[in-house]
Amino acid sequence: MGMGTATALLEQGMTVTGCDVSPSARRAFEDAGGQCAATPAELAAHCDIVLLVVVNADQVEQVLFGDQGLVGHLAPGSVVLQCATVAPSIARRLGERLAEAGLAMLDAPISGGAAKARAGQLSVMASGTSAAFDKASPALDGMAATVYRLGEEVGIGSSMKLVNQLLAGVHIATAAEALALGIRLGLDPETVYEVITHSAGNSWMFENRVPHILKGDYTPLSAVDIFVKDLNIVHETGRELAMPTPVAASALQQFTAAKGAGFGREDDSAVIKVYERLSGITLPEAANDDGEV
């Protein structure tokens, strides 16, 4: 999603400098016409608006506060759009630490996947000061179809993203279970898809993810590992609030089982493979080079 967003902003005429641990990713962005920096510290010399699109809180910490981190190198008054999914409590603390360093933060998780990132059509669930929004407006306008301004306090954006991820994870796991049940009952999976997508049981995730299963294509657009992480954040946040989240916990167990079975880096729809192992169902296979199944 970071590469897609950077490329979308570049194509809209913005000066964009990318940074990635992967040399091949940096070369790809340079080939697209962008500039690159080898480290976050080096990047800081080129930017006063930074989009932080990484996987987890540990990576956020390293990019911001590591040995070659942004903090200490960004000009005072710069704004960091923290787009990774993290716990609200972590987002709040990040905002405090950046403020102490003279930097602004938008708590700005994103949703929409790689395709919408590339098209500059993401949804951004953001919170922060009006000044931070004003400073970041060129980037927000270029990366998003919709920007939800949820409040002044850092942490609100991450709270909203957590609600979204609870639903997304549960819907994917439920879509997989429903399709697996249909196959186990002897129904044709293509027919299950056709009927459900025109019935009350449909969901956006069923409509979007089940085609991956029908094609036997588990190329990761969003991986099983992502929902192990995000539903764990839901679980941990629920524990902090003394609030049970039993449906999310059940989905977490399914994604954890898929990860344990070796499918962690496959598309999140690969959670259905748990049922293939437990129930003996046969899932659709990818077409071979001759176009045959």
Side-chain angles (χ1 to χ4, degrees):
M1 291 177 74
M3 176 69 81
T5 297
T7 305
L9 292 173
L10 185 67
E11 290 179 351
Q12 294 175 51
M14 297 188 68
T15 301
V16 183
T17 303
C19 181
D20 196 283
V21 294
S22 167
S24 62
R26 297 197 299 270
R27 285 194 298 270
F29 188 57
E30 288 171 342
D31 289 344
Q35 306 172 36
C36 279
T39 67
E42 181 184 331
L43 176 77
H46 302 278
C47 304
D48 59 0
I49 303 170
V50 178
L51 277 65
L52 187 49
V53 185
V54 295
V55 172
N56 55 35
D58 289 342
Q59 291 184 4
V60 173
E61 178 74 20
Q62 188 65 28
V63 170
L64 290 176
F65 302 104
D67 291 341
Q68 293 294 316
L70 289 164
V71 174
H73 297 90
L74 278 173
S78 297
V79 60
V80 175
L81 282 70
Q82 202 304 96
C83 300
T85 302
V86 301
S89 57
I90 290 176
R92 288 190 290 270
R93 180 57 183 146
L94 287 171
E96 293 168 358
R97 293 167 71 189
L98 288 174
E100 291 168 359
L103 305 171
M105 174 176 153
L106 280 184
D107 180 21
I110 53 180
S111 181
K116 289 190 176 181
R118 181 64 184 83
Q121 296 291 305
L122 292 167
S123 292
V124 182
M125 311 166 202
S127 62
T129 65
S130 295
F133 273 106
D134 290 345
K135 177 79 172 178
S137 61
L140 290 169
D141 291 344
M143 68 190 284
T146 308
V147 178
Y148 295 98
R149 296 182 62 154
L150 301 172
E152 292 267 327
E153 296 181 10
V154 167
I156 300 174
S158 286
S159 296
M160 185 62 71
K161 181 62 184 295
L162 209 58
V163 173
N164 182 79
Q165 293 308 92
L166 184 157
L167 287 166
V170 167
H171 282 237
I172 294 168
T174 303
E177 184 169 295
L179 184 62
L181 176 62
I183 294 171
R184 184 68 180 84
L185 288 168
L187 297 173
D188 172 63
E190 296 276 358
T191 302
V192 172
Y193 179 75
E194 174 67 19
V195 172
I196 294 302
T197 54
H198 292 86
S199 302
N202 191 32
S203 69
W204 189 92
M205 283 299 189
F206 187 96
E207 194 161 342
N208 183 267
R209 295 306 203 266
V210 169
H212 303 182
I213 300 168
L214 298 178
K215 295 174 184 176
D217 183 0
Y218 299 95
T219 303
L221 301 180
S222 175
V224 165
D225 280 344
I226 295 295
F227 279 98
V228 174
K229 172 184 73 76
D230 289 358
L231 290 173
N232 259 311
I233 296 172
V234 171
H235 173 73
E236 291 166 3
T237 301
R239 186 171 59 187
E240 289 175 8
L241 299 172
M243 177 180 171
T245 53
V247 179
S250 179
L252 172 59
Q253 290 303 310
Q254 289 301 101
F255 282 106
T256 302
K259 177 182 177 68
F263 308 129
R265 301 185 70 175
E266 296 189 17
D267 188 74
D268 50 35
S269 60
V271 70
I272 197 171
K273 293 184 178 182
V274 174
Y275 297 98
E276 185 176 41
R277 293 198 172 187
L278 294 177
S279 301
I281 62 173
T282 300
L283 296 174
E285 296 181 358
N288 63 23
D289 292 339
D290 296 324
E292 299 177 353
V293 174

